[in-house]
Amino acid sequence: MAKTAGRARTTAASALGSLDFALDRGSPVPLYHQLAQQLEAAIGRGVLAPGNLLGNEVDLSVRLGLSRPTVRQAIQSLVDKGLLVRRRGVGTQVVHSQVRRPLELSSLYDDLEAAGQAPATEVVRHEVVAAACDVAAALGVPEGSEVTVLDRLRRTHGRPVALLCNYLPVSLLDLDSARLESTGLYRMMRSAGITLHSARQTIGARAATAGEASRLDEREGAALLTMRRTAYDDTGRPVEYGTHIYRASLYTFDFQLLVRP
């Protein structure tokens, strides 16, 4: 254990040593904010990796020629964003970069894997239920007919980031819980010959309930992002209806906006 911690400190020290902090003391942007931005960029690029230790505030302030309160404020701003964590007896440690997901028809699992976010899945519920009116309307089936429901907890680097609830036509494909914990739902659809074509999606926000907060390692009332999506295959058939919630402290959606000609 001591050897592992020592390696983490060495890696972080060498990573910090390779960073060229460009702090403009004549800028109207506060020094703590400049430092925080550059540390956040280094985390986003993977120069500072999850598990790396930054060292103590005194060492950083001496190295950068900044006051200790300035360094403390920069670090605290990244702690508040969920990028760093203070561990007693260990120091300030990189957690991971925030998940930024593009708004396109892709699975969370594939997006996290492509971003090097080490996705892991726990299947909480996998059963056949009677379709409620909203589920039936989304999937184009009679209310009360059988549909498959999946509840999954998605983690990155060991930390919970999302709760996913998906409904599918019961005859769509065979779903195995063990396989669902090792890959993504859309990847399983593609393997079954289902070609995803389009989706209707709504994004919102709300406060976490006590149960959701417990599962997501958040406090009750914490901000959550919500997503409601109905996905269609290339024949126009609805193949999946999902209602997902994400930790706003760790997750964002990226938009690309174009001017209409």
Side-chain angles (χ1 to χ4, degrees), residues 132-147:
C133 59
D134 59 331
V135 175
L139 293 178
V141 298
E143 184 176 350
S145 60
E146 290 187 335
V147 293

Side-chain angles (χ1 to χ4, degrees), residues 51-176:
N52 281 171
L53 297 171
L54 295 189
N56 60 53
E57 293 168 1
V58 174
D59 291 341
L60 280 173
S61 63
V62 170
R63 176 175 177 264
L64 299 173
L66 297 172
S67 69
R68 187 174 176 183
T70 296
V71 172
R72 183 186 300 118
Q73 193 172 3
I75 289 175
Q76 186 59 48
S77 70
L78 298 186
V79 169
D80 294 341
K81 284 187 173 184
L83 301 180
L84 299 176
V85 65
R86 299 181 192 271
R87 301 192 188 281
R88 181 171 297 179
V90 176
T92 303
Q93 192 171 28
V94 178
V95 181
H96 51 71
S97 58
Q98 190 179 51
V99 177
R100 288 181 169 84
R101 187 178 182 188
L103 276 182
E104 57 187 40
L105 185 51
S106 60
S107 76
L108 176 59
Y109 189 95
D110 289 344
D111 289 339
L112 293 174
E113 190 174 66
Q117 292 282 355
T121 305
E122 175 190 345
V123 176
V124 179
R125 183 186 183 201
H126 177 193
E127 59 184 355
V128 174
V129 299
C133 59
D134 59 331
V135 175
L139 293 178
V141 298
E143 184 176 350
S145 60
E146 290 187 335
V147 293
T148 300
V149 60
L150 302 171
D151 286 341
R152 293 165 295 156
L153 177 62
R154 182 66 42 78
R155 293 184 175 89
T156 63
H157 300 292
R159 298 188 70 189
V161 69
L163 282 171
L164 317 174
C165 179
N166 296 83
Y167 296 89
L168 301 91
V170 72
S171 60
L172 184 68
L173 76 164
D174 291 327
L175 292 169
D176 176 76

Side-chain angles (χ1 to χ4, degrees), residues 15-28:
L16 280 171
S18 67
L19 291 175
D20 182 17
F21 292 100
L23 301 174
D24 183 359
R25 286 168 169 78
S27 170

